[in-house]
């Protein structure tokens, strides 16, 4: 498929001070669009970033048949080139989400080449500073106007991009996390493993509870017994107990992060003891009391590694590692960001240049 390109006639100014970018509020000049009609994808195009025109009966607005991905374009600090981190994984996961939500799959290699075209056109929107990036948001939604509950007959696949400042503007400060015991995020058999819009709407009430306590994020427990640990808002979770790296084994209700997968691969390469299995919150509390719990960290594209300094479960406040980043968390952060920003050798073959 040939991508038709329409360049903007009114380019926006790129903010000179990258520290003011923040996250997700500013968008680059162009976007990619493609439509699914009569059973096939067609009309792939790059156009100026602008509002979409949708019917108020657009199906996704009513029944949330919508999925998304999140990845970043990084400026290689050694060569100045632009690179992506494991984008094949994101588009494979987009299609996994699509299958669960009865959304037509997109051709993965084509989507990656479209993304590269888009970034080449908006190259000057990729920030230069270490830690800053161009956040990339691919998404697909049912767009035909209809009020009955059925899969959409038409879809839009879009990619928009947003320049973002460094996630850790003031250094890697540990966050406080609230263990949610009332609301649940997902259950086995549900769409928890998919990056599907409705999952995030359903998580907001728990997020508000955490904020009321001055805590940054929610740790979700399993939907049936409120006993097993699942994940954090938009991050997977890891624990270090007696030197062993532990993370919940995904059983369909956890979003399987690409950062999570990369952390597991690195730890195995480093010959660390790594275990994926069901983990109870009680077990974490016991390990904390005995002094065996040395590190807790979240993993996700936005933060990469987010050290957890406080875990609040009911009346119990677990203060982790004196509210400082742990040794393993720091090593993982330095390695992952080192590869993403071209500061260390990519011996895992994770990086893809936008130029080839
Ligand atoms: C996106 C996301 C993650 C992290 O996935 P990455 O691929 O590492 O960015 C974890 N949990 C949820 C719920 C998510 O939406």
């Amino acid at each position: 498929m040939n991508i038709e390109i329409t360049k903007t006639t009114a380019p926006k100014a790129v903010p000179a001070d990258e520290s003011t970018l923040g996250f997700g509020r500013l968008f680059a000049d162009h976007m990619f669009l493609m439509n699914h009609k009569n059973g096939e994808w067609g009309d792939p195009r790059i156009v100026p970033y602008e509002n979409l025109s949708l019917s108020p009966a657009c199906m996704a607005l009513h029944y949330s048949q919508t999925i998304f991905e999140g990845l970043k374009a990084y400026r290689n600090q050694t060569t100045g080139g632009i690179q992506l981190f494991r984008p094949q994984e994101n588009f494979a996961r987009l299609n996994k989400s699509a299958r669960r939500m009865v959304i037509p799959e997109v051709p993965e290699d084509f989507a990656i080449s479209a993304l590269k075209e888009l970034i080449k056109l908006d190259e000057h929107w990729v920030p230069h500073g270490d830690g800053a990036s161009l956040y990339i948001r691919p998404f697909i939604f049912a767009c035909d106007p209809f009020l009955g509950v059925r899969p959409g007959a038409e879809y839009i696949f879009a990619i928009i991009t947003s320049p973002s400042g460094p996630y850790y503007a003031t250094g890697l400060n540990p966050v406080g996390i609230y263990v949610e015991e009332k609301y649940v995020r997902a259950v086995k058999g549900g769409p928890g493993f998919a990056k599907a819009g409705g999952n995030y709407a359903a998580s907001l009430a728990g997020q508000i509870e955490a904020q009321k306590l001055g805590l940054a994020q929610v740790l979700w427990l399993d939907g049936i017994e409120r006993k097993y640990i699942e994940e954090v808002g938009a991050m997977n979770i890891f624990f270090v107990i007696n030197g062993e790296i532990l993370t919940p084994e995904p059983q369909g209700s956890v979003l399987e992060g690409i950062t999570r997968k990369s952390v597991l691969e690195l730890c195995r390469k480093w010959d660390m003891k790594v275990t994926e299995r069901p983990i109870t919150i009680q077990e974490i509390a016991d390990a904390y009391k005995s002094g065996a719990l040395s590190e807790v960290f979240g993993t996700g594209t936005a933060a990469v590694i987010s050290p957890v300094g406080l875990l609040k479960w009911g009346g119990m406040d677990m203060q982790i590692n004196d509210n400082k980043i742990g040794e393993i968390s720091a090593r993982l952060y330095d390695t992952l960001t080192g590869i993403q920003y071209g500061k260390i050798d990519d011996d895992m073959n994770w990086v893809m240049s936008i130029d080839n």
Side-chain angles (χ1 to χ4, degrees), residues 86-101:
R86 312 187 83 176
Q88 310 91 321
E89 297 281 341
N90 290 92
F91 288 97
R93 186 171 64 190
L94 183 68
N95 279 340
K96 187 176 168 188
S97 300
R99 289 190 290 276
R100 179 63 178 82
M101 305 310 285

Side-chain angles (χ1 to χ4, degrees), residues 68-70 90 93 185 192 194-195 200 231-236 254-261 299-302 304:
F68 65 93
E69 268 303 321
N90 290 92
R93 186 171 64 190
R185 176 184 175 274
K195 265 184 141 55
Y200 301 83
E231 62 177 316
V232 185
M235 288 194 288
N236 297 112
V254 167
L255 193 294
E256 286 182 58
I258 295 155
T259 321
R260 173 188 186 277
K261 181 175 181 174
T299 64
T301 296
V304 191

Side-chain angles (χ1 to χ4, degrees), residues 6 41 133 138 184 198 213 250 258 263 291 315:
T6 310
W41 286 111
S133 61
V184 298
L213 297 167
I258 295 155
V263 162

Side-chain angles (χ1 to χ4, degrees), residues 40-168:
E40 60 181 15
W41 286 111
D43 196 15
R45 58 204 187 276
I46 291 173
V47 295
Y49 181 93
E50 62 190 5
N51 290 347
L52 299 172
S53 169
L54 298 169
S55 161
C58 166
M59 290 196 71
L61 297 178
H62 300 267
Y63 308 121
S64 293
Q65 202 192 6
T66 171
I67 55 174
F68 65 93
E69 268 303 321
L71 66 162
K72 292 170 172 175
Y74 309 86
R75 185 77 66 172
N76 185 307
Q77 301 293 297
T78 312
T79 65
I82 297 169
Q83 56 195 34
L84 305 166
F85 182 76
R86 312 187 83 176
Q88 310 91 321
E89 297 281 341
N90 290 92
F91 288 97
R93 186 171 64 190
L94 183 68
N95 279 340
K96 187 176 168 188
S97 300
R99 289 190 290 276
R100 179 63 178 82
M101 305 310 285
V102 201
I103 286 172
E105 293 181 45
V106 292
E108 292 167 25
D109 291 342
F110 177 75
I112 292 174
S113 57
L115 171 61
K116 287 178 176 174
E117 282 302 309
L118 177 66
I119 296 174
K120 275 183 212 165
L121 191 61
D122 282 337
E123 193 185 5
H124 56 293
W125 285 95
V126 181
H128 290 79
D130 193 8
S133 61
L134 185 70
Y135 184 80
I136 301 161
R137 169 56 56 88
F139 58 107
I140 312 176
F141 63 97
C143 63
D144 49 314
F146 182 58
L147 293 182
V149 179
R150 58 139 170 84
E154 293 182 14
Y155 296 84
I156 292 174
F157 171 42
I159 307 178
I160 57 174
T161 67
S162 173
S164 309
Y167 189 88
Y168 294 107

